[in-house]
Amino acid sequence: MSTTDFETTDPFAAAQAAADYIAHETDVERHDVALVLGSGWGEAADLIGETTATLTAEEVPGFHTPAVVGHTGTIRSVRTSDGKRALVLGARTHYYEGKGVRAVVHGIRTAAAAGCKTLVLTNGCGGLNEDWAPGTPVLISDHINLTAASPLEGATFVDLTDLYSSRIRALAREVDPSLDEGIYAQFTGPHYETPAEVQYAKRIGAELVGMSTALEAIAGRHAGMEVFGISLVTNLAAGISPQPLSHQEVIESGQAAGPRISRLLADIIAKL
């Protein structure tokens, strides 16, 4: 589906069409939990349970091949050990790709149409807390949306109080009591933030900065899902780190932390 198609099509009808396709191709009528696996988190899908079907993103209506190295480009149906069904979305569309906000949150709305009541959002991000070395997982307690955009259209007023589930954060700390939490700020990207922008984000309360998640979380709340977010600090943010930033650093940090954080996420999912 092109950007023009998204602009002229009811986004919820498009999501339902994608959900119907997934149900048909996976032979799973309804899924329970949706996971968006960002940079560094891809291995978690193999630890959650048995993958019973794998679809390529471009075959599902409205989905696109990922533009970012480190994303899998597949949609997987996974049966967990307790019989739940997880829909693992490895095909995230970022706002900076220019496809519009509807495309960014299409996967979230599709997951809701597929029956998912819980939404798990992961990402790789820059850290503003020097105590969080690259490879540190951090629970998202709240976010600041700096994209100047919203997935909601018209007079659609949605309460975002406790957007990131305190219940699931508590379950996560049962798995790993050492987990810290912080506020995530979504910038538009694709460029990294300047040191001045990082200091601005810090002054308004952010402790994590990245280019995803916030718009998806809003769409998830609007769809009635319980939202859980967890970031992987892949690098210290600009001006915090003495080194220049690079996407290669993000990839390498994700690869190094992958087995540990994937096990962590799988153990959290098992508690849902």
Short mmCIF file of all heavy atoms in Angstrom, two decimals, residues 165-192:
data_model
loop_
_atom_site.label_atom_id
_atom_site.label_comp_id
_atom_site.label_asym_id
_atom_site.label_seq_id
_atom_site.Cartn_x
_atom_site.Cartn_y
_atom_site.Cartn_z
N SER A 165 2.15 0.47 30.92
CA SER A 165 1.53 -0.28 32.00
C SER A 165 2.43 -0.45 33.23
O SER A 165 3.50 -1.06 33.15
CB SER A 165 1.14 -1.67 31.47
OG SER A 165 0.73 -2.51 32.53
N SER A 166 1.97 0.08 34.35
CA SER A 166 2.70 -0.11 35.60
C SER A 166 2.61 -1.57 36.04
O SER A 166 3.54 -2.09 36.68
CB SER A 166 2.13 0.81 36.68
OG SER A 166 0.75 0.59 36.86
N ARG A 167 1.53 -2.26 35.68
CA ARG A 167 1.38 -3.66 36.04
C ARG A 167 2.46 -4.50 35.37
O ARG A 167 3.12 -5.34 36.03
CB ARG A 167 0.00 -4.18 35.61
CG ARG A 167 -0.27 -5.64 35.98
CD ARG A 167 -1.56 -6.15 35.36
NE ARG A 167 -1.43 -6.42 33.94
CZ ARG A 167 -1.00 -7.58 33.44
NH1 ARG A 167 -0.65 -8.57 34.24
NH2 ARG A 167 -0.93 -7.75 32.12
N ILE A 168 2.68 -4.28 34.08
CA ILE A 168 3.68 -5.09 33.38
C ILE A 168 5.09 -4.68 33.79
O ILE A 168 5.99 -5.53 33.88
CB ILE A 168 3.48 -5.00 31.85
CG1 ILE A 168 2.08 -5.45 31.47
CG2 ILE A 168 4.52 -5.88 31.14
CD1 ILE A 168 1.78 -5.40 29.98
N ARG A 169 5.29 -3.41 34.09
CA ARG A 169 6.61 -3.00 34.58
C ARG A 169 6.94 -3.72 35.89
O ARG A 169 8.08 -4.12 36.14
CB ARG A 169 6.69 -1.49 34.76
CG ARG A 169 6.56 -0.72 33.47
CD ARG A 169 7.19 0.66 33.52
NE ARG A 169 6.81 1.48 34.64
CZ ARG A 169 5.75 2.29 34.68
NH1 ARG A 169 4.91 2.34 33.64
NH2 ARG A 169 5.50 3.02 35.74
N ALA A 170 5.93 -3.89 36.73
CA ALA A 170 6.15 -4.62 38.00
C ALA A 170 6.49 -6.08 37.73
O ALA A 170 7.36 -6.67 38.40
CB ALA A 170 4.90 -4.51 38.88
N LEU A 171 5.82 -6.68 36.74
CA LEU A 171 6.14 -8.06 36.37
C LEU A 171 7.58 -8.15 35.85
O LEU A 171 8.30 -9.11 36.15
CB LEU A 171 5.17 -8.57 35.29
CG LEU A 171 3.71 -8.76 35.70
CD1 LEU A 171 2.89 -9.18 34.49
CD2 LEU A 171 3.59 -9.78 36.80
N ALA A 172 8.00 -7.14 35.09
CA ALA A 172 9.37 -7.14 34.56
C ALA A 172 10.39 -7.09 35.69
O ALA A 172 11.43 -7.76 35.63
CB ALA A 172 9.55 -5.96 33.61
N ARG A 173 10.08 -6.33 36.72
CA ARG A 173 11.02 -6.24 37.85
C ARG A 173 11.01 -7.50 38.69
O ARG A 173 11.97 -7.76 39.42
CB ARG A 173 10.72 -4.99 38.69
CG ARG A 173 11.25 -3.70 38.05
CD ARG A 173 11.14 -2.53 38.99
NE ARG A 173 9.76 -2.12 39.15
CZ ARG A 173 9.14 -1.21 38.40
NH1 ARG A 173 9.82 -0.61 37.43
NH2 ARG A 173 7.88 -0.89 38.60
N GLU A 174 9.95 -8.31 38.59
CA GLU A 174 9.99 -9.62 39.23
C GLU A 174 11.00 -10.52 38.52
O GLU A 174 11.67 -11.34 39.15
CB GLU A 174 8.60 -10.27 39.19
CG GLU A 174 7.57 -9.63 40.12
CD GLU A 174 6.22 -10.32 40.03
OE1 GLU A 174 6.14 -11.40 39.39
OE2 GLU A 174 5.25 -9.79 40.58
N VAL A 175 11.11 -10.36 37.21
CA VAL A 175 12.08 -11.13 36.43
C VAL A 175 13.49 -10.62 36.71
O VAL A 175 14.43 -11.40 36.90
CB VAL A 175 11.77 -11.04 34.93
CG1 VAL A 175 12.86 -11.71 34.10
CG2 VAL A 175 10.41 -11.67 34.63
N ASP A 176 13.65 -9.29 36.72
CA ASP A 176 14.97 -8.69 36.96
C ASP A 176 14.79 -7.45 37.83
O ASP A 176 14.47 -6.38 37.32
CB ASP A 176 15.62 -8.32 35.63
CG ASP A 176 17.03 -7.76 35.81
OD1 ASP A 176 17.44 -7.51 36.96
OD2 ASP A 176 17.72 -7.55 34.79
N PRO A 177 15.00 -7.59 39.15
CA PRO A 177 14.80 -6.46 40.06
C PRO A 177 15.75 -5.29 39.80
O PRO A 177 15.51 -4.18 40.29
CB PRO A 177 15.08 -7.08 41.44
CG PRO A 177 14.84 -8.54 41.26
CD PRO A 177 15.30 -8.83 39.87
N SER A 178 16.81 -5.51 39.04
CA SER A 178 17.78 -4.44 38.80
C SER A 178 17.35 -3.50 37.68
O SER A 178 18.02 -2.48 37.44
CB SER A 178 19.14 -5.04 38.45
OG SER A 178 19.13 -5.63 37.16
N LEU A 179 16.25 -3.79 37.00
CA LEU A 179 15.81 -2.96 35.88
C LEU A 179 15.48 -1.53 36.33
O LEU A 179 14.69 -1.34 37.26
CB LEU A 179 14.59 -3.57 35.20
CG LEU A 179 14.83 -4.79 34.31
CD1 LEU A 179 13.50 -5.42 33.92
CD2 LEU A 179 15.63 -4.40 33.07
N ASP A 180 16.09 -0.56 35.67
CA ASP A 180 15.72 0.84 35.87
C ASP A 180 14.61 1.20 34.90
O ASP A 180 14.31 0.46 33.96
CB ASP A 180 16.93 1.75 35.62
CG ASP A 180 17.91 1.75 36.78
OD1 ASP A 180 17.48 1.47 37.93
OD2 ASP A 180 19.10 2.02 36.55
N GLU A 181 14.01 2.37 35.11
CA GLU A 181 13.02 2.86 34.16
C GLU A 181 13.31 4.32 33.86
O GLU A 181 13.98 5.01 34.62
CB GLU A 181 11.60 2.67 34.67
CG GLU A 181 11.26 3.37 35.96
CD GLU A 181 9.81 3.11 36.37
OE1 GLU A 181 9.38 1.94 36.35
OE2 GLU A 181 9.12 4.08 36.69
N GLY A 182 12.82 4.77 32.71
CA GLY A 182 13.06 6.14 32.31
C GLY A 182 12.05 6.63 31.30
O GLY A 182 11.24 5.85 30.77
N ILE A 183 12.10 7.91 31.01
CA ILE A 183 11.19 8.56 30.07
C ILE A 183 11.88 8.62 28.70
O ILE A 183 13.04 9.02 28.58
CB ILE A 183 10.83 9.97 30.55
CG1 ILE A 183 10.05 9.88 31.86
CG2 ILE A 183 10.00 10.70 29.49
CD1 ILE A 183 9.80 11.21 32.54
N TYR A 184 11.14 8.20 27.70
CA TYR A 184 11.66 8.09 26.33
C TYR A 184 11.15 9.27 25.50
O TYR A 184 9.96 9.59 25.53
CB TYR A 184 11.18 6.78 25.72
CG TYR A 184 11.57 6.53 24.28
CD1 TYR A 184 12.72 5.81 23.97
CD2 TYR A 184 10.77 6.97 23.23
CE1 TYR A 184 13.08 5.55 22.65
CE2 TYR A 184 11.12 6.72 21.91
CZ TYR A 184 12.27 6.01 21.63
OH TYR A 184 12.62 5.76 20.33
N ALA A 185 12.05 9.91 24.76
CA ALA A 185 11.65 10.99 23.85
C ALA A 185 11.83 10.52 22.42
O ALA A 185 12.93 10.07 22.05
CB ALA A 185 12.49 12.23 24.10
N GLN A 186 10.76 10.61 21.64
CA GLN A 186 10.87 10.27 20.22
C GLN A 186 11.12 11.52 19.40
O GLN A 186 10.30 12.43 19.35
CB GLN A 186 9.61 9.57 19.70
CG GLN A 186 9.74 9.22 18.20
CD GLN A 186 8.55 8.47 17.62
OE1 GLN A 186 7.66 8.04 18.34
NE2 GLN A 186 8.55 8.31 16.31
N PHE A 187 12.28 11.55 18.74
CA PHE A 187 12.59 12.55 17.73
C PHE A 187 12.21 11.98 16.36
O PHE A 187 11.94 10.79 16.22
CB PHE A 187 14.08 12.89 17.75
CG PHE A 187 14.50 13.77 18.90
CD1 PHE A 187 14.71 13.24 20.17
CD2 PHE A 187 14.70 15.13 18.71
CE1 PHE A 187 15.11 14.05 21.22
CE2 PHE A 187 15.10 15.95 19.76
CZ PHE A 187 15.31 15.41 21.02
N THR A 188 12.20 12.84 15.35
CA THR A 188 11.78 12.36 14.03
C THR A 188 12.87 11.57 13.33
O THR A 188 12.59 10.61 12.60
CB THR A 188 11.37 13.54 13.13
OG1 THR A 188 12.47 14.44 13.00
CG2 THR A 188 10.18 14.28 13.70
N GLY A 189 14.18 11.93 13.52
CA GLY A 189 15.24 11.30 12.76
C GLY A 189 15.13 11.70 11.29
O GLY A 189 14.33 12.56 10.93
N PRO A 190 15.88 11.04 10.38
CA PRO A 190 16.78 9.92 10.65
C PRO A 190 18.14 10.33 11.20
O PRO A 190 18.95 9.49 11.58
CB PRO A 190 16.92 9.25 9.28
CG PRO A 190 16.78 10.39 8.32
CD PRO A 190 15.77 11.30 8.93
N HIS A 191 18.44 11.63 11.20
CA HIS A 191 19.70 12.08 11.78
C HIS A 191 19.67 11.90 13.30
O HIS A 191 18.61 11.94 13.91
CB HIS A 191 19.95 13.56 11.44
CG HIS A 191 18.80 14.44 11.84
ND1 HIS A 191 17.69 14.63 11.03
CD2 HIS A 191 18.55 15.12 12.98
CE1 HIS A 191 16.84 15.43 11.64
NE2 HIS A 191 17.33 15.73 12.83
N TYR A 192 20.84 11.71 13.87
CA TYR A 192 20.91 11.66 15.33
C TYR A 192 20.74 13.07 15.89
O TYR A 192 20.93 14.07 15.20
CB TYR A 192 22.24 11.06 15.78
CG TYR A 192 22.37 9.60 15.48
CD1 TYR A 192 23.26 9.13 14.51
CD2 TYR A 192 21.60 8.66 16.14
CE1 TYR A 192 23.36 7.78 14.21
CE2 TYR A 192 21.69 7.30 15.85
CZ TYR A 192 22.58 6.87 14.89
OH TYR A 192 22.68 5.55 14.59
#
